[in-house]
Amino acid sequence: GVAAIGVSVFAVGGALRWSQALVALLVAGALLPIVASRRRSAGLAPLLVALSIPVVVSLIQLLPFPDGILTSLDTNGVDLRSDGSRLVGTDPWSAITLDAPGTLRALAHALILVGVAWVALRWSTSERGRYQILATVCGVCACTALVVGIHTLFGLDSLYGLYEPIQAS
């Protein structure tokens, strides 16, 4: 869990697909002991319910719908999709979303957030665990400030000398 939070912050904030995949693998690894555990929680935490809403909405956007329902929901989107597919000569996925890869990425991001929240909720069952979470977040923030300070002090334009943000100022 700590590694997932650290990588998500220091690997360009999960902006690149490989960094998001790495964070997802780390979160999945952190969830394995929780899922395999026989210990069950008393009920659903409000945090998990709130973070599950974007997961459900993203899934609904990816479901295939008949053209009549899609036209009633988004006439302009259906027209754009059909015109674009006619130009390229393909048969598009008939879903509400016009950007399926972007929606899949948003779904992955939402699932990662649910996983991190689940790990944090399980970790925070004791007072010691709550202090450990606080110390972890403070440590990641301090390391981030150190990296930013070094980059500012030396006037570095690229992150770690490897990645240069395109639209950042």
Side-chain angles (χ1 to χ4, degrees), residues 40-53 56 114 117-118 121:
R40 298 289 173 221
S41 60
L44 284 176
L47 176 64
L48 292 179
V49 172
L51 288 176
S52 297
I53 293 170
V56 172
V114 169
W118 195 2
L121 285 171

Side-chain angles (χ1 to χ4, degrees), residues 8-9 25 27 35 40 49 76 83 88 102 104 116 123 129 144 162:
S8 69
V9 170
L25 286 173
V27 168
V35 172
R40 298 289 173 221
V49 172
N76 294 333
D83 291 345
V88 180
L104 281 170
V116 168
W123 195 4
T144 304
L162 301 172

Side-chain angles (χ1 to χ4, degrees), residues 136-161:
T136 300
V137 170
C138 289
V140 169
C141 291
C143 289
T144 304
L146 181 67
V147 169
V148 170
I150 290 170
H151 279 79
T152 304
L153 183 66
F154 292 107
L156 303 173
D157 292 332
S158 63
L159 186 60
Y160 313 123

Side-chain angles (χ1 to χ4, degrees), residues 29-169:
L31 286 174
L32 283 177
I34 294 173
V35 172
S37 172
R38 292 181 184 214
R39 188 175 125 208
R40 298 289 173 221
S41 60
L44 284 176
L47 176 64
L48 292 179
V49 172
L51 288 176
S52 297
I53 293 170
V55 171
V56 172
V57 170
S58 296
L59 282 173
I60 290 171
Q61 289 182 36
L62 290 168
L63 292 176
F65 285 102
D67 288 335
I69 294 175
L70 285 178
T71 304
S72 66
L73 292 173
D74 186 13
T75 306
N76 294 333
V78 170
D79 292 341
L80 286 171
R81 183 182 294 123
S82 63
D83 291 345
S85 65
R86 205 170 318 129
L87 287 172
V88 180
T90 62
D91 188 24
W93 181 260
S94 61
I96 296 172
T97 182
L98 297 178
D99 180 20
T103 305
L104 281 170
R105 189 157 179 199
L107 176 63
H109 185 77
L111 286 170
I112 289 169
L113 289 176
V114 169
V116 168
W118 195 2
V119 170
L121 285 171
R122 184 58 76 96
W123 195 4
S124 68
T125 55
S126 69
E127 187 172 346
R128 181 175 178 233
R130 288 188 288 276
Y131 284 127
Q132 287 175 340
I133 290 173
L134 183 62
T136 300
V137 170
C138 289
V140 169
C141 291
C143 289
T144 304
L146 181 67
V147 169
V148 170
I150 290 170
H151 279 79
T152 304
L153 183 66
F154 292 107
L156 303 173
D157 292 332
S158 63
L159 186 60
Y160 313 123
L162 301 172
Y163 173 76
E164 188 163 336
I166 298 168
Q167 296 178 341
S169 58

